Amino acid sequence: MMHRNIGELLGQHRVVSLPAGASVREAARQMKAAHVASVIVTAPIDEHIEGIFTERDLTDRVVADGLDPDHTPLSMVMTPCPITADPATSVAEALRRMAGNNLRHLPVVENGHVIGVVSMRDMMGEELTVLEREKEMMDSLTEVIM
């Protein structure tokens, strides 16, 4: 039934990455130009992932806190050391990680480099339906126990 892996979802996805010292405004511009909702923050020398900056970070950590996007580096408002997955991770497992950690974006890493980012929207299929059923079952069990 659920045999897809997240590597199969990467197809047309473009990874947008910037160094930690780049401004929030530059990240927003790159996100808009690429039609994506996240930027991978990379180390300057080896380009390994240091963090992720998402639309939610923009609203919650920049706009809501009144920070100046021109003078705020990504390092101040990114999510450092984000949870990642490899291309062989099943879609069901990726969804569990995302739901369990309240994530909307999951970087896909291979050989230490980000090769894509999947979002909840990418997984609108049978896996999401199964995960929702599992959550409903767990919620009903929790209600019975309490």
Side-chain angles (χ1 to χ4, degrees):
M1 180 183 191
M2 294 191 304
H3 300 335
R4 295 189 305 162
N5 61 48
I6 58 173
E8 296 172 45
L9 302 179
L10 295 179
Q12 311 294 339
H13 291 282
R14 180 169 171 235
V15 177
V16 176
S17 62
L18 288 169
S23 72
V24 166
R25 177 146 346 254
E26 180 59 24
R29 285 183 180 136
Q30 294 286 332
M31 289 162 64
K32 179 181 178 183
H35 304 288
V36 296
S38 65
V39 170
I40 298 300
V41 182
T42 56
I45 296 172
D46 61 8
E47 296 189 1
H48 278 71
I49 186 171
E50 288 188 345
I52 187 170
F53 179 76
T54 68
E55 288 174 326
R56 189 188 310 177
D57 296 324
L58 179 62
T59 58
D60 294 356
R61 296 179 178 173
V62 180
V63 176
D65 289 346
L67 299 179
D68 180 349
D70 291 314
H71 296 99
T72 302
L74 292 177
S75 60
M76 280 183 56
V77 291
M78 70 181 185
T79 300
C81 305
I83 293 170
T84 63
D86 63 64
T89 301
S90 72
V91 171
E93 174 57 28
L95 277 168
R96 283 186 192 96
R97 283 184 200 173
M98 294 170 79
N101 293 287
N102 198 27
L103 304 174
R104 294 181 187 159
H105 301 90
L106 185 67
V108 181
V109 177
E110 186 172 55
N111 298 322
H113 294 285
V114 177
I115 60 169
V117 178
V118 293
S119 70
M120 284 287 197
R121 185 175 302 148
D122 297 322
M123 299 185 224
M124 297 298 205
E126 62 185 89
E127 293 90 354
L128 188 56
T129 302
V130 170
L131 182 67
E132 287 170 351
R133 277 193 224 123
E134 285 179 8
K135 185 175 180 340
E136 287 172 8
M137 191 181 329
M138 292 304 291
D139 289 346
S140 65
L141 287 173
T142 302
E143 289 173 12
V144 170
I145 294 171
M146 298 182 124

